[in-house]
Amino acid sequence: MMLQYPDCSLADLYDEAVMPPELRKAHQLNDRAVMEAYGFWGKLNSESECVAELMGMYREMTEGK
């Protein structure tokens, strides 16, 4: 992706306020796919809630290993 945007930093490419529109759309589609795959769609309201839930699931899976 960086090759398509040589004048953008990683911060630019991950900042929703300034990222290119097609990249923002790709992030949104990816977020939705992850949320649907884990049954979160319609239950969680933000990416940060999704990440927190995924980290909780990971922690449960890895405890005691």
Side-chain angles (χ1 to χ4, degrees):
M1 193 58 69
M2 290 286 293
L3 297 176
Q4 292 177 337
Y5 307 102
D7 297 327
C8 293
S9 68
L10 283 175
D12 293 336
L13 294 176
Y14 282 88
D15 181 348
E16 285 198 44
V18 297
M19 74 171 57
E22 65 276 6
L23 189 55
R24 183 179 313 109
K25 182 69 174 175
H27 277 278
Q28 291 167 343
L29 291 172
N30 187 64
D31 289 346
R32 182 174 179 146
V34 169
M35 292 178 87
E36 286 180 349
Y38 285 92
F40 300 159
W41 189 252
K43 296 178 184 174
L44 303 177
N45 297 316
S46 69
E47 180 183 354
S48 60
E49 288 178 327
C50 180
V51 170
E53 188 68 25
L54 290 171
M55 291 305 295
M57 292 170 67
Y58 175 77
R59 190 173 33 256
E60 287 178 16
M61 290 174 43
T62 58
E63 283 180 351
K65 289 188 177 187

